[in-house]
Amino acid sequence: MSLMGRYFKRNTLHFGSRCTRLHITSHHKARVEAMMCDLASLRSVREFADSYKAKKLPLHILVCNAGVCTQPWSLTEDGLESTFQSCHLGHFLLVQCLQEVLRRSAPARVVVISSESHRFTDLIDSCAKVDLALLSPQKKDYWSMLAYNRSKLCNILFSNELHRRLSPHGVTSNAVHPGNMMYTSIHRSWWLMTFIFSLVRPFTKSMQQGAATTVYCAVAPELEGLGGMYFNNCFRCLPSSQAEDQSSAASLWELSERLVADGSAGIQAL
Ligand SMILES: NC(=O)c1ccc[n+]([C@@H]2O[C@H](COP(=O)([O-])OP(=O)(O)OC[C@H]3O[C@@H](n4cnc5c(N)ncnc54)[C@H](OP(=O)(O)O)[C@@H]3O)[C@@H](O)[C@H]2O)c1
């Protein structure tokens, strides 16, 4: 099992060593390894994928879980708005880079963590194409919550298109809503969110409960070979109509391909 995170010393290594201890006590043969990857950097994602491939390990389950919410506006080193790149584009590139490994490891599953907040936005311009100006807005047009909602809509569109493209090769993909306003670290960028999350904390899922739907999609035998769906509380449910729209998913895929093509050169060419 490989865990990835962006701050090797502070988080990933600490988390990795805790998981290693937990795993080794319950599964004696399990090997857990922490690896570094910053999803907000195309270079870092490529380096991570290369290191993973160099290990010659199979990849049966890939969980695209990382996310940030209510961050102040900032551009990544690749020139894109950071919520969009961390939540969607980094995962998109990661799956692109590991696609061959997933295909060789089939049956394999991808689980993409989205959110019910995908319902409160759209991404389409007047020509019915996914609009980069909405996904990666300039500072004057930026509202952090909207950026998060849009990235979560991208997660479902991405998962559905991925499933359409890779399921003939034995790789399935499903999207997940883990729970409402669970007290994780997601609220940490804005004191108001921390305050609201603290107020509702007694009524929301624990982290373990929040992980249940993700784990279900990753391992449930009854989901073998099935994908292109959206799950909440370990049940399939209907996402918004735009999240189900195949042409939006294809349009996002094409845009994402152009953005990751040759790193920032791809972004400048747009
Ligand atoms: N909490 C909720 O109520 C809720 C509701 C709906 C959906 N979700 C979704 O659930 C997923 C997990 O969120 P969470 O609630 O567990 O929040 P969390 O505790 O903040 O976890 C998010 C994880 O993403 C990692 N991450 C963020 N930016 C990254 C980057 N650029 N590169 C690599 N890793 C990065 C963070 O690593 P660092 O600690 O190193 O920053 C952290 O480990 C997210 O996709 C979120 O949108 C959460």
Side-chain angles (χ1 to χ4, degrees):
M1 180 166 128
S2 293
L3 289 163
M4 60 174 235
R6 59 181 158 161
Y7 304 121
F8 200 69
K9 286 205 174 106
R10 201 188 75 200
N11 285 348
T12 313
L13 203 60
H14 172 65
F15 185 54
S17 63
R18 270 184 58 199
C19 283
T20 308
R21 281 201 303 277
L22 275 173
H23 239 76
I24 286 174
T25 44
S26 50
H27 304 283
H28 293 287
K29 290 190 184 153
R31 261 187 57 202
V32 183
E33 189 177 348
M35 295 171 71
M36 204 173 124
C37 177
D38 181 0
L39 287 156
S41 157
L42 299 178
R43 176 192 46 76
S44 174
V45 173
R46 288 195 177 95
E47 284 172 7
F48 169 83
D50 288 345
S51 322
Y52 190 86
K53 285 190 266 190
K55 292 179 190 294
K56 309 266 183 233
L57 292 169
L59 182 54
H60 297 294
I61 300 169
L62 175 59
V63 180
C64 299
N65 175 69
V68 289
C69 184
T70 60
Q71 285 205 319
W73 183 88
S74 68
L75 288 181
T76 64
E77 65 190 28
D78 303 297
L80 290 163
E81 190 283 309
S82 60
T83 306
F84 167 66
Q85 189 162 344
S86 307
C87 295
H88 166 67
L89 199 68
H91 289 127
F92 176 85
L93 178 61
L94 182 66
V95 174
Q96 291 284 324
C97 294
L98 295 176
Q99 203 185 122
E100 281 312 308
V101 190
L102 283 164
R103 285 166 64 151
R104 273 202 310 275
S105 313
R109 299 185 190 191
V110 179
V111 184
V112 186
I113 312 308
S114 176
S115 167
E116 278 293 276
S117 64
H118 82 272
R119 298 185 190 279
F120 307 121
T121 186
D122 61 30
L123 295 174
I124 301 297
D125 64 12
S126 51
C127 312
K129 291 273 179 206
V130 168
D131 187 351
L132 182 61
L134 298 178
L135 287 172
S136 178
Q138 294 187 357
K139 191 171 184 179
K140 64 180 173 50
D141 301 320
Y142 180 73
W143 182 38
S144 62
M145 206 57 230
L146 192 55
Y148 178 73
N149 296 349
R150 285 180 170 146
S151 74
K152 294 290 114 182
L153 177 55
C154 288
N155 291 149
I156 304 181
L157 291 168
F158 166 54
S159 172
N160 289 347
E161 185 65 20
L162 180 66
H163 181 73
R164 270 189 284 279
R165 286 170 184 250
L166 289 198
S167 53
H169 307 282
V171 183
T172 58
S173 179
N174 284 301
V176 161
H177 169 65
N180 298 324
M181 299 177 81
M182 293 167 301
Y183 198 89
T184 58
S185 306
I186 199 89
H187 51 79
R188 67 188 142 173
S189 325
W190 191 16
W191 68 265
L192 184 60
M193 289 288 279
T194 304
F195 177 65
I196 296 170
F197 272 61
S198 308
L199 284 181
V200 298
R201 190 173 184 178
F203 313 105
T204 58
K205 286 182 181 176
S206 67
M207 285 199 215
Q208 288 81 354
Q209 290 167 330
T213 308
T214 303
V215 175
Y216 174 73
C217 288
V219 299
E222 63 270 28
L223 294 184
E224 194 59 60
L226 299 177
M229 296 181 279
Y230 176 62
F231 285 83
N232 184 4
N233 288 322
C234 298
F235 280 99
R236 183 186 183 184
C237 57
L238 287 180
S240 69
S241 53
Q242 187 165 131
E244 289 198 302
D245 183 52
Q246 288 198 21
S247 63
S248 302
S251 172
L252 175 67
W253 188 279
E254 282 156 24
L255 175 66
S256 305
E257 267 180 340
R258 278 182 283 141
L259 289 172
V260 301
D262 261 340
S264 54
I267 292 161
Q268 279 152 19
L270 286 170

